[in-house]
């Protein structure tokens, strides 16, 4: 059911975003349908049902990328309905950005199914590349990487800081982040006890992405 809902929402945000963002919730006094759907999708990222998790990630990525369309539409027609939905879209994504990053990093640490990794990396890249290169974004990345589920030690954590930080400055392509996410996930999958920390695998990771 969740997978189907997120698939429908993804179609809506691609074909009729103004309608979706302005649609009111059935419950009087509650947040809009768009806001509620974004909050639900953020939680569903770590759903045990692979289709539901994947669907939520794809929907969230479409929502994050909607901001680019809003900017273009506003430049072309400042009086259009796009200018009305811009604050809601930007505000919702901005409010959920830290939690999204945290949940994605959690999944990368061996908790996602393999088939979710590529969409996860693309969503993470979409979030970071649209985040301002400020101390706030840096703090968000640091907080996400401090989770106890990260078993690879401080050296690997520093590599992750560098790679994710370069995403926010536009220095890392999506394909590179896909590879990096896959490598981190594989290292966690083969290292439940933390034995990889500081070992050869971490050194190879550093050489591959930081040299």
């Amino acid at each position: 059911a969740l997978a189907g809902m997120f698939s429908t929402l993804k179609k809506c945000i691609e074909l009729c975003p103004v309608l979706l963002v302005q649609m009111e919730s059935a419950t009087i006094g509650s947040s809009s349908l768009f806001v509620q759907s974004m909050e639900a999708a953020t939680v569903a990222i770590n759903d045990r049902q692979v289709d539901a998790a994947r669907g939520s990630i794809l929907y969230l990525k479409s929502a994050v990328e909607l901001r680019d369309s809003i900017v273009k539409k506003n430049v072309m027609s400042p009086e259009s309905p796009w200018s009305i939905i811009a604050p809601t879209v930007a505000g919702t994504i901005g409010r959920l950005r830290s939690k999204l990053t945290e949940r994605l990093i959690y999944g990368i640490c061996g908790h996602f199914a393999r088939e979710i990794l590529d969409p996860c990396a693309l969503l993470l890249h979409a979030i970071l590349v649209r985040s301002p290169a400020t101390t706030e974004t840096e703090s968000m990345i640091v907080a996400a990487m401090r989770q106890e589920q990260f078993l690879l030690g401080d050296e690997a954590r520093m590599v992750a800081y560098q790679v994710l930080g370069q995403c926010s400055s536009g220095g890392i392509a999506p394909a590179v982040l896909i590879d990096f996410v896959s490598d981190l996930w594989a290292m966690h999958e083969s290292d439940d006890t933390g034995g990889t920390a500081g070992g050869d695998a971490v050194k190879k990771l550093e050489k591959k992405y930081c040299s």
Side-chain angles (χ1 to χ4, degrees):
L2 278 178
M5 180 185 75
F6 289 128
S7 177
T8 301
L9 287 166
K10 182 175 181 292
K11 285 290 185 184
C12 289
I13 209 163
E14 291 171 350
L15 299 176
C16 49
V18 174
L19 176 63
L20 175 62
V21 175
Q22 291 187 296
M23 192 174 294
E24 296 294 332
S25 169
T27 304
I28 298 176
S30 62
S31 54
S32 69
L33 179 61
F34 171 72
V35 172
Q36 290 185 8
S37 71
M38 290 289 287
E39 291 172 345
T42 300
V43 173
I45 284 176
N46 303 116
D47 196 281
R48 293 185 178 181
Q49 296 292 328
V50 173
D51 288 345
R54 179 181 172 84
S56 69
I57 290 171
L58 294 176
Y59 169 56
L60 287 163
K61 182 173 178 288
S62 294
V64 170
E65 292 174 342
L66 176 62
R67 297 180 64 183
D68 299 342
S69 297
I70 290 174
V71 170
K72 293 176 183 177
K73 296 288 184 180
N74 274 334
V75 170
M76 295 172 59
S77 179
E79 303 302 322
S80 76
W82 291 84
S83 61
I84 299 175
I85 69 171
T88 299
V89 174
T92 302
I93 293 172
R95 181 170 56 84
L96 294 174
R97 185 178 58 176
S98 293
K99 187 176 290 295
L100 282 169
T101 303
E102 180 181 321
R103 285 182 171 272
L104 290 169
I105 295 298
Y106 172 86
I108 292 167
C109 294
H111 295 282
F112 277 146
R114 176 64 186 86
E115 54 266 43
I116 295 179
L117 292 181
D118 287 2
C120 160
L122 291 174
L123 173 57
L124 184 58
H125 188 275
I127 292 169
L128 293 175
V129 79
R130 291 168 177 80
S131 299
T134 61
T135 54
E136 180 183 351
T137 298
E138 182 179 339
S139 298
M140 177 185 75
I141 294 171
V142 169
M145 293 302 303
R146 280 179 178 165
Q147 299 178 77
E148 62 181 14
Q149 289 79 15
F150 191 90
L151 304 176
L152 307 181
D154 289 340
E155 289 182 36
R157 188 176 280 111
M158 291 304 296
V159 174
Y161 288 157
Q162 185 169 337
V163 172
L164 298 180
Q166 287 178 357
C167 284
S168 65
S169 62
I172 294 289
V176 175
L177 190 60
I178 286 175
D179 287 345
F180 181 71
V181 163
S182 180
D183 287 344
L184 278 187
W185 179 87
M187 290 169 71
H188 278 88
E189 283 289 287
S190 62
D191 189 56
D192 292 338
T193 63
T196 298
D200 291 341
V202 173
K203 290 179 171 57
K204 289 179 181 178
L205 189 76
E206 182 177 12
K207 182 177 180 180
K208 182 175 180 180
Y209 295 102
C210 299
S211 58

